[in-house]
Structures are given as structure tokens and as C-alpha cells.
Amino acid sequence: MAERIPRQTMSEQNPLERIKNFNEVPLGFSTETAVIEAKRCIQCKNPNCVEGCPVNVNIPGFIKEAAEGNFLKAVEIIKGTNSLPAVCGRVCPQESQCEKLCILGKKFEPVAIGKLEGFVADYERKVEHLNPEKPECTGGRKVAVIGSGPAGLTVAGEMAKCGHGVTIFEALHSPGGVLVYGIPEFRLPKEIVHYEIDQLVKMGVEIIPNRVVGISESLDDILERFDAVFVGTGAGLPSFLNIPGENMQGVYSANEYLTRVNLMKAYQFPHYDTPVIKGKSIAVFGGGNVAMDSARVARRLDCNEVHLVYRRSRSEMPAREEEIHHAEEEGIIFDLLSNPVRFIGDEKGKLTGVECVRMELGEPDDSGRRRPVEVKGSEFVIYIDVAIIAIGNGPNPIVQKSSPGLETNKWGNIVADDETMKTSKKGVFAGGDIVSGAATVIEAMGAGRKAAAAINDYLATGEW
Amino acid sequence: MHLIHSNEIIADNIGKMVVEAEYTAMHRKAGQFVIIIIDEFGERVPLTIAGADKGAGTITLYYQIVGKSTSKLSMLKSGEYLKDVAGPLGHPTEVKKFGTVLCIGGGIGIAPVYPIASAMKEAGNRVSGIIGAREGGLLILENELSQVCDTLQVFTDNGSAGRKGFVTQGLSEILESEKIDLVVAVGPVPMMKAVSEITKEKNIKTFVSLNSVMVDGTGMCGGCRVTVGNETKFTCVDGPEFDAHLVNFDELLLRLNTYKDEESACFTEHKHKCRLDGVTKNG
């Protein structure tokens, strides 16, 4: 009677404790709990969950092995289509993908697919190491990957498996893209990302850090040395609010704030050299995962008053429910239906506050969500010394600027075929946020898998 | 890891480092910069590339010791390494034949002016130079610039080298006596602002190279944003050079003070530690 066992919960660090550290919030399943949870899966013949996964992980397959305690086998099954299970187990929005479609969810709680994925991947990393897969075929061609985020890492892994020589060009000093500069340690320990990247290096992938393609070298220059190029440069161009006072000291883009803290380890300043302003009162603007990450980071930097200012209501927030819940538990103050109008500062240009206006929800807009409308005369001021703007990111423009032949859309995203990820430029493929606009880790990996398959075809046939 | 070929203090609190960075040396152009990371704890520090030796695969960097990072930098010896060098970054200077180009450098800003003056000379321009510093001990690259420039004027605030006064004095004098087609000015923000005010009045095209606070240097954080002609620009990818007459220097100056408190606390602690280390070593 599988369905009578309740969904196993994972214990978490107590909110009052965890706001004093950057350690991961969930504490992981024990082996016993993982097996109990895995046994809840009823092994559907036509599993809906697989359809809900952008990379179509064989979910019942890996869970069956996990239920029998064959954790290593379970990881191998996942790695057949998903090269970063420890990452995806943590940051995928399972509630709107695989778990949403789990049949058990109709009457009971869905199987904790994400938590199980994370568990078996952690088991592999911590207990028994899998050797990186040997090349399945010997392609022997040279593929360049620009950007080492989730899309680029996926392409690199798939190409290396096929025996092609892969070189990743990464602009920053440390590979991983958004996994290292954006997502905080308490949500995704960097040790995991470094491990996955080490696996790629063991498979023969070459990583050149500190290399910004598009400044000194164009795509054409890269194509002279490689048989195919994959562009996975992501959505890293921060949007600002375009309101008065935005360039005052203390106003950050979420990218800057998170990069300082996550990548440069400003939370350990002055042990590490990169500073970040530790505000006494901080406001984060936005309602997505990046806003939640920023607010929760601020809370961990000894700030007792962290506001999250969002112009719609809680139910329209694009962030994952789990992240919103964690933020609430950690004492983030939600100023909903509020929109910033201008920043206020002192004579030295230091931020002292933000004037906001109340909003109400009107008719639905293009996104289907009800459009927020200003309530006249409802202005109010929040006194803050740090503001973090987390209202989205546009595509990184550098590669496109250097490649006039590369077709882009009106937002500057690279145009690529939905199935093959081919761009308008022969030999150049693109995928992830640089094509789709800001989306999820797993969607970027899905695009990476499609691109890898198409690159293989192209390298074999030369047909475009 | 990037092998340091030499690192020496060449003026009061100003260091010159020659470090291996083959790709950067191969591709760099005048006006571009690198971001270096000293060690695993290091921050990302933007520095203009003052010169390069393609054959040796090295680049030359000048730095002023103003905080913990530059102090750490000054203590590195030849044979040691920088952890990272990223670059070249930013747009190169627009180098072509303008006619007469006046290059103005103030303090550590003389270092970025040198490669620009050299490139302008090579492009067939007549190049005049004006350099200035607080005092003679802070002047750098005077000999090198005098080789490149057709005329070179030197100013110090206290008259300990060259003439007593500011670079703007030299600028006004030159503008009285000859036709200048382009001014390039790099130095402290008040200097660039003063130069810009003078040339704007005379309607002479002027570029300045800005030294905003940066993190990634690739257009991803916006920390280096600056208002240029009422538009927000990122110094790292849209610059570092901008039309001086459009730059909001007052805002830039305020933004440069962002980490004053953090940095001074960090630097004080660092100096304290260095002294302690000294005691242990000597001890």
C-alpha cells in the first residue's frame, strides 16, 4: 500500500540558526528515509513525471534502483540524460515539473523526486565515486563552448562522451556561471559545482577561464580553430528600475550583490578581500528566485530588517514556493503590492531610503497575471541603506556584438532553432538563457542536450 | 597562474609590475584593461594595460598603493604569481589620425595615457603631453612620454618637479597657442572634470578613461555604472573611455566612495597584521 506511506520530509536547519550561517538549509535524507520515500513510487507504466522533466530523466527507473538501495545504479540512470543531478535535485522547480505530474499527487502528496535525485547524487559524490564515463564514440573533432553555466556544461559533457575535444571559454575566473556567481551557498553548495566540473575535466574537457569571447576574438575567429561552437553565455545583463537616485551608493543589482557575496565570498570579508555593504536595513525589489536569494543573503549578513518589495501579490510571485516559504521563515518582511518610485540619499550620495507607492491589481496583462496599477496618493517611505534590484536580467550582449551575422531578436537574445539550437551562423549553436531569456537551470540543460545531439549530427554529416 | 617577471616601486606608493599574460599581450590595444586577482582571497582589481611585450608574452601594469589589495600587490616578488589575469577588457581607444592630440595624465592616470599617446603617435598624429602629480615623487613615465610626445609639460601641485600648478593650466596655455583636434585625459575625477569643462567651452572633442568600481568587468554586475548623456552606461563594457562632455563626474566621484569605510578598516587591519608578521619574522 505504497500510497499510505506519507511523503517523507527532509529536516532543515532551524531558521533562527541558519540565518547565522551560509550552510545548506535542508539537511538531506538518511539512507532509510530515502528508501522509504523511493518505495512510495508506484512505477507507472506510462509515467507522466518523465514528460514533465525538460531532460526526460528516467524517473521511475532511478527511483526503483533507489528503493532497492542501489544508489549508484540510480545515479547512473539519471546521468544518462542529466549530467548535474546534485544541482538539479536542489534547484529545479520540481513542483511545476516532474512532481506536478506525479500520479500520487492527485490523491496524496507526489513522490519527492527532487529530494531523491539530490540524495543519490550526494551519495555518489560523498560515498562511492563513479568514474567519469569513457567516450562512447571517438568523434575526434573540436568543439568550443562559450560560457560554463548549466547549458555549456551539459554540451561539454555530452561532446566529451562522444570523444570530441572540448574547450570551454569562461569569462570569470571560476567556471559554473550562475551556479557559482548567482545561486547562494545555502541553496547550492559550491563544492557540488566544483565536483561536477572536476568530472568534466577528468573526461578531458579543457576549461580556459578569464576569457571573454567577443572582445578580442569574434565567433569567426573561434570557428577558425574549432569545428563547431556552442554559445551559452546566459542572461547576465542586469535590468535596473530607471527611477531617480538609482546610482547612489548602496544601490546594487542583484547580480552585483550576489556575485560579491557568492563568487567573491564577501560574506567572509575581511578574510576575503571583496567588500559588500552590510546594511542596517535592506530592501530587495522583485519577486523571483533571485530576489529571494538576495533577501536571504542579506539576512545572513547580520541585517535584521530585510524588506522584499514586490508590485503584485504573493500568489503572482514567480519564485518557487519553497524559496518564498524559506524567506518568510527567515523573517523577510514582504511589502507586497508596492512599487519603488525614487531613491532618497544624503548629501554624500549615500542611500537613506526609498519612496514606494501602493499598487492594486487590475486587468490581466500579456503574462496572464493581473496588472498592478498605482494607487494615487499612497506614497510611503522605507528607510534603507542598501537596495538590491532583482527585477530580471537581459542577455549578455558581448558575443552578439562581435558577430554581426548572428541573428538576434528585439531583446538581443540569439535566435536558435527550437529542436537543433542552430543559429543563423553555420557551425554555431546556442542555448540556455542567451536564447530563451532568463529561465531555469534544467531548461538550459535541456537546450544543451538538444544542441549536443545536433552538433554530433553536424560534425558527422557537415550538413547545416 | 601568471608568473611575475618584475615588480618594483618606482615612485612614492606607485608600483610597476611586468607579469606573464600571453593572450592579453597578444591581443591588447591601447585603452584596454585587465582584471587581476592576486590570490585565492583576492578581489577583482581592474588595472589599465600600460604596455605589452608580445614576444615575451608579458604585460606591464602600474598601480598606486591605496588599500589592502594594492598593498598586497606591492609585496609580491618576481618569481611569484598572480592567480588570475582576465583581459583585455573594455573597448580600445579609437586610434586614427586626428591631427594634434593632447594627452593629459594625472597621478596614476599617467600610466593609461602612455599607451594611448604611443598609439596616437604611431597613427601619425602630432602628440602633445601634459602630466601632473601632487609632488615630484609621484610622477611616473616622464622619460617614456617625452620620447613619444612632441612636447611634454610637467606640473606638480607643490612645484617639486616641473612647474608649480595643475595640468589645467598647461591645457589653457596650449589652447591659446595651437589648434588641438582631440584631448584625451586620464586621472583623478576632479582633474578630468576640470579638463572637460575647459574643452567643452572651446568645443574640443575630449575622451576620458574612467576608473569606476568594478566586480566582474564583463557587463554583468553594473557596479561600474556611470551616467553619460543622461543614459546609464557600464564603464567595463561600454567604456572605459567616454565623451568627457557627457559624463556626470559628480555622480562618479560619489560612487567611488562606496567602500571607503570597509576598505579603510580592511587596510588598517592588513597593515597591523603585516607589522605583526614583521615582528614574528624578525623576532
Side-chain angles (χ1 to χ4, degrees):
Chain A
M1 290 292 109
E3 58 270 36
R4 285 198 193 152
I5 305 169
R7 178 174 160 122
Q8 300 297 292
T9 51
M10 191 177 269
S11 50
E12 293 181 342
Q13 277 199 78
N14 171 311
L16 289 175
E17 264 318 300
R18 72 188 189 226
I19 56 168
K20 295 181 202 146
N21 65 56
F22 273 76
N23 301 336
E24 204 175 0
V25 172
L27 297 169
F29 276 150
S30 68
T31 308
E32 295 75 24
T33 319
V35 169
I36 293 170
E37 182 60 29
K39 284 184 175 160
R40 292 181 64 232
C41 174
I42 58 173
Q43 295 290 319
C44 300
K45 280 225 169 61
N46 295 308
N48 293 336
C49 53
V50 178
E51 297 301 311
C53 174
V55 297
N56 304 118
V57 165
N58 176 359
I59 294 167
F62 99 75
I63 292 185
K64 183 165 186 285
E65 294 299 337
E68 289 164 15
N70 302 327
F71 303 130
L72 219 47
K73 185 85 186 98
V75 180
E76 268 185 82
I77 291 172
I78 302 174
K79 286 206 169 176
T81 56
N82 177 349
S83 47
L84 304 171
V87 174
C88 292
R90 289 171 168 84
V91 304
C92 264
Q94 291 97 8
E95 67 280 0
S96 57
Q97 297 178 349
C98 53
E99 293 182 21
K100 184 185 178 187
L101 299 175
C102 173
I103 201 84
L104 283 188
K106 293 202 170 168
K107 276 195 170 176
F108 310 97
E109 288 278 301
V111 175
I113 299 168
K115 299 262 191 290
L116 284 173
E117 181 184 31
F119 171 82
V120 295
D122 288 352
Y123 176 87
E124 185 267 330
R125 188 179 70 256
K126 290 178 181 166
V127 185
E128 273 188 85
H129 297 288
L130 273 180
N131 286 323
E133 284 183 54
K134 293 272 180 292
E136 288 163 6
C137 47
T138 46
R141 309 291 289 277
K142 286 169 75 183
V143 179
V145 172
I146 304 172
S148 64
L153 292 178
T154 303
V155 172
E158 295 295 321
M159 292 290 99
K161 273 191 217 167
C162 294
H164 298 301
V166 183
T167 302
I168 301 180
F169 298 105
E170 167 53 46
L172 293 171
H173 55 279
S174 184
V178 74
L179 305 176
V180 295
Y181 75 74
I183 304 177
E185 180 76 17
F186 55 82
R187 213 149 70 77
L188 178 64
K190 300 309 148 221
E191 172 210 341
I192 292 172
V193 184
H194 299 324
Y195 177 80
E196 298 296 351
I197 288 165
D198 278 348
Q199 298 289 99
L200 288 180
V201 172
K202 283 182 187 160
M203 289 163 74
V205 172
E206 180 192 25
I207 300 176
I208 300 183
N210 298 316
R211 181 67 57 82
V212 187
V213 173
I215 293 182
S216 298
E217 289 185 287
S218 67
L219 280 180
D220 286 326
D221 294 324
I222 303 289
L223 275 169
E224 279 180 21
R225 307 200 299 274
F226 292 89
D227 300 303
V229 180
F230 175 81
V231 183
T233 44
L237 180 71
S239 300
F240 285 91
L241 291 158
N242 294 319
I243 60 173
E246 198 155 35
N247 292 348
M248 273 190 267
Q249 297 172 48
V251 183
Y252 286 109
S253 71
N255 270 6
E256 179 177 3
Y257 189 74
L258 292 174
T259 299
R260 283 179 181 274
V261 177
N262 298 335
L263 179 70
M264 304 311 296
K265 302 202 163 47
Y267 65 96
Q268 294 179 59
F269 179 86
H271 184 53
Y272 281 77
D273 297 341
T274 303
V276 67
I277 305 173
K278 285 192 172 187
K280 291 187 179 65
S281 172
I282 296 182
V284 178
F285 302 91
N289 288 325
V290 175
M292 298 302 150
D293 284 346
S294 303
R296 297 174 65 200
V297 163
R299 192 78 177 92
R300 283 162 174 76
L301 292 175
D302 304 327
C303 183
N304 290 323
E305 189 182 334
V306 181
H307 296 260
L308 190 129
V309 179
Y310 180 55
R311 62 197 182 124
R312 304 181 202 241
S313 69
R314 191 186 186 285
S315 56
E316 283 89 18
M317 279 189 175
R320 290 185 64 195
E321 178 55 37
E322 183 179 333
E323 307 311 327
I324 300 172
H325 171 68
H326 279 151
E328 284 173 333
E329 279 188 337
E330 290 167 11
I332 309 297
I333 303 156
F334 282 50
D335 292 306
L336 301 172
L337 289 165
S338 301
N339 207 28
V341 180
R342 68 182 176 106
F343 290 108
I344 305 161
D346 64 15
E347 71 287 349
K348 288 180 178 160
K350 284 198 174 176
L351 181 70
T352 57
V354 59
E355 183 181 307
C356 298
V357 63
R358 299 270 177 226
M359 309 293 278
E360 57 190 10
L361 294 179
E363 295 299 309
D365 64 10
D366 296 344
S367 71
R369 296 177 299 177
R370 292 175 64 192
R371 187 192 301 273
V373 187
E374 277 186 19
V375 179
K376 288 259 178 313
S378 65
E379 287 81 1
F380 64 102
V381 172
I382 310 174
Y383 293 95
I384 51 168
D385 48 4
V386 170
I388 303 164
I389 299 163
I391 57 166
N393 287 297
N396 281 325
I398 296 180
V399 166
Q400 297 90 304
K401 275 187 190 163
S402 79
S403 304
L406 191 67
E407 195 188 334
T408 54
N409 67 16
K410 62 176 170 175
W411 297 286
N413 295 96
I414 296 175
V415 175
D417 183 89
D418 281 348
E419 287 310 312
T420 63
M421 311 317 288
K422 282 180 181 172
T423 68
S424 59
K425 200 172 178 64
K426 189 178 177 190
V428 178
F429 300 75
D433 285 2
I434 192 65
V435 171
S436 62
T440 61
V441 168
I442 191 70
E443 285 167 292
M445 292 175 62
R449 280 186 61 78
K450 286 183 190 171
I455 293 171
N456 250 334
D457 282 350
Y458 169 66
L459 292 178
T461 64
E463 279 170 30
W464 190 252
Chain B
M1 300 293 271
H2 298 262
L3 181 68
I4 297 165
H5 284 218
S6 67
N7 188 26
E8 52 192 332
I9 302 298
I10 54 157
D12 294 351
N13 278 324
I14 294 179
K16 175 187 179 185
M17 176 180 281
V18 176
V19 61
E20 262 178 30
E22 209 184 330
Y23 182 85
T24 314
M26 184 65 72
H27 291 280
R28 72 95 203 189
K29 291 183 177 144
Q32 290 184 303
F33 65 96
V34 286
I35 284 194
I36 64 156
I37 302 177
I38 296 172
D39 55 30
E40 87 171 276
F41 304 104
E43 60 182 330
R44 294 173 66 91
V45 182
L47 293 171
T48 306
I49 307 162
D53 181 336
K54 280 187 192 176
T58 58
I59 55 170
T60 304
L61 306 170
Y62 289 83
Y63 54 90
Q64 185 165 21
I65 303 166
V66 289
K68 183 181 174 188
S69 290
T70 40
S71 167
K72 273 165 73 175
L73 197 58
S74 71
M75 286 186 273
L76 294 170
K77 295 181 178 57
S78 61
E80 294 185 309
Y81 294 85
L82 289 184
K83 181 175 160 286
D84 292 280
V85 177
L89 299 171
H91 285 293
T93 306
E94 183 191 358
V95 176
K96 62 178 190 189
K97 188 158 182 191
F98 291 93
T100 302
V101 178
L102 175 59
C103 295
I104 306 175
I108 193 70
I110 300 170
V113 159
Y114 174 60
I116 297 171
S118 311
M120 289 297 182
K121 184 71 194 172
E122 256 177 58
N125 292 286
R126 178 181 148 76
V127 177
S128 294
I130 307 175
I131 57 173
R134 219 166 50 238
E135 53 185 60
L138 289 165
L139 272 178
I140 54 170
L141 288 162
E142 187 182 345
N143 286 335
E144 288 85 344
L145 273 162
S146 63
Q147 312 269 319
V148 173
C149 297
D150 295 278
T151 67
L152 181 69
Q153 298 187 57
V154 179
F155 287 88
T156 50
D157 296 6
N158 63 3
S160 54
R163 293 158 66 192
K164 184 170 186 295
F166 299 120
V167 292
T168 41
Q169 192 183 323
L171 169 66
S172 299
E173 286 169 13
I174 284 191
L175 294 183
E176 291 298 313
S177 60
E178 59 179 309
K179 181 179 169 288
I180 300 292
D181 299 290
L182 175 74
V183 174
V184 180
V186 193
V189 175
M191 181 210 97
M192 292 192 285
K193 185 184 173 190
V195 166
S196 174
E197 279 167 359
I198 294 170
T199 60
K200 191 172 184 178
E201 207 169 278
K202 306 256 182 193
N203 203 18
I204 299 167
K205 187 172 179 177
T206 304
F207 287 126
V208 285
S209 179
L210 306 183
N211 56 336
S212 320
V213 174
M214 281 183 198
V215 186
D216 64 282
T218 66
M220 283 179 43
C221 81
C224 64
R225 63 194 187 276
V226 56
T227 304
V228 180
N230 296 321
E231 262 185 85
T232 294
K233 297 278 183 191
F234 292 179
T235 304
C236 65
V237 289
D238 299 321
E241 286 174 18
F242 293 104
D243 180 343
H245 301 154
L246 299 176
V247 172
N248 183 338
F249 289 105
D250 296 334
E251 181 188 273
L252 173 66
L253 195 56
L254 291 174
R255 279 189 69 78
L256 284 172
N257 288 329
T258 302
Y259 297 101
K260 229 175 175 177
D261 297 347
E262 286 82 0
E263 273 163 2
S264 100
C266 181
F267 194 23
T268 309
E269 193 201 284
H270 174 69
K271 283 192 274 196
H272 180 68
K273 249 187 167 158
C274 290
R275 276 202 293 276
L276 282 178
D277 286 349
V279 171
T280 329
K281 271 182 202 157
N282 300 330

